[in-house]
Amino acid sequence: MNNTTIRFATEKDASLILGFIKALAEYENMSGDVIATEELLKQEIFEKHHAEVIFALEDGKEVGFALYFHNFSTFLGRSGIYLEDLFVLPAKRGKGHGKALLKFLAKTALERGCGRLEWSCLNWNKPSIDFYLSLGAVPLEDWTIYRLTGKTLEDMAK
């Protein structure tokens, strides 16, 4: 077993959260898409409670994070947890930190009466896909994610 501990983020962690988001974006070749700021994260996560963040710690130092929120399944008639981001620093991968974060979220889902834990993964990210499959996660082959953002979202709202 590893020496991972998990802790919930506090408002004082906004800079750390943003740092992990930027590191994830760099890994995914999407650095140009990050427009989040510390202030925006403070507002959305800690004031409006739109999401939650946990950290994986190794010897007291944050080495990974997960950002998640509740969604709802009409078929199950219950909420679920949607994992928006899971990221472990490259030098700390393979030590069980990602698994510890997912185990914590699975326990949290059950404690909160949720019917499922789900997330998306980029199709090219074979290391992550292999990791998720090794845990027993099942890809939803028949589903495609659709998204409205920016001007398209604004136009739809008119």
Side-chain angles (χ1 to χ4, degrees), residues 103-150:
K103 285 179 74 79
F104 185 89
L105 288 176
K107 288 178 186 176
T108 300
L110 292 176
E111 288 169 0
R112 294 180 182 182
C114 296
R116 62 186 179 198
L117 169 60
E118 59 189 354
W119 60 91
S120 300
C121 184
L122 291 167
N123 292 333
W124 61 259
N125 193 346
K126 184 162 174 31
S128 293
I129 293 168
D130 291 344
F131 168 62
Y132 298 141
L133 292 173
S134 77
L135 300 175
V138 178
L140 300 178
E141 305 275 338
D142 294 335
W143 294 82
T144 300
I145 297 171
Y146 291 88
R147 179 176 291 164
L148 295 173
T149 60

Side-chain angles (χ1 to χ4, degrees), residues 82-93:
Y82 185 82
L83 175 60
E84 178 67 25
D85 291 326
L86 174 72
F87 182 77
V88 174
L89 297 173
K92 299 297 182 176
R93 293 184 186 152

Side-chain angles (χ1 to χ4, degrees), residues 15-138:
S15 175
L16 183 60
I17 295 167
L18 184 58
F20 273 109
I21 291 169
K22 288 180 177 180
L24 171 62
E26 183 177 325
Y27 173 74
E28 293 180 340
N29 299 311
M30 300 174 75
S31 294
D33 293 343
V34 178
I35 60 171
T37 64
E38 288 180 38
E39 282 306 311
L40 190 56
L41 294 173
K42 286 178 185 178
Q43 180 182 27
E44 293 296 317
I45 297 169
F46 302 106
E47 293 173 22
K48 294 183 179 179
H49 306 286
H50 287 167
E52 296 177 68
V53 175
I54 55 174
F55 294 109
L57 289 80
E58 178 182 278
D59 300 323
K61 175 76 174 144
E62 293 83 0
V63 297
F65 93 121
L67 185 145
Y68 60 98
F69 54 88
H70 285 273
N71 58 12
F72 192 84
S73 167
T74 54
F75 289 4
L76 296 177
R78 301 189 317 185
S79 65
I81 288 181
Y82 185 82
L83 175 60
E84 178 67 25
D85 291 326
L86 174 72
F87 182 77
V88 174
L89 297 173
K92 299 297 182 176
R93 293 184 186 152
K95 297 182 176 187
H97 303 305
K99 186 173 183 178
L101 287 164
L102 281 169
K103 285 179 74 79
F104 185 89
L105 288 176
K107 288 178 186 176
T108 300
L110 292 176
E111 288 169 0
R112 294 180 182 182
C114 296
R116 62 186 179 198
L117 169 60
E118 59 189 354
W119 60 91
S120 300
C121 184
L122 291 167
N123 292 333
W124 61 259
N125 193 346
K126 184 162 174 31
S128 293
I129 293 168
D130 291 344
F131 168 62
Y132 298 141
L133 292 173
S134 77
L135 300 175
V138 178

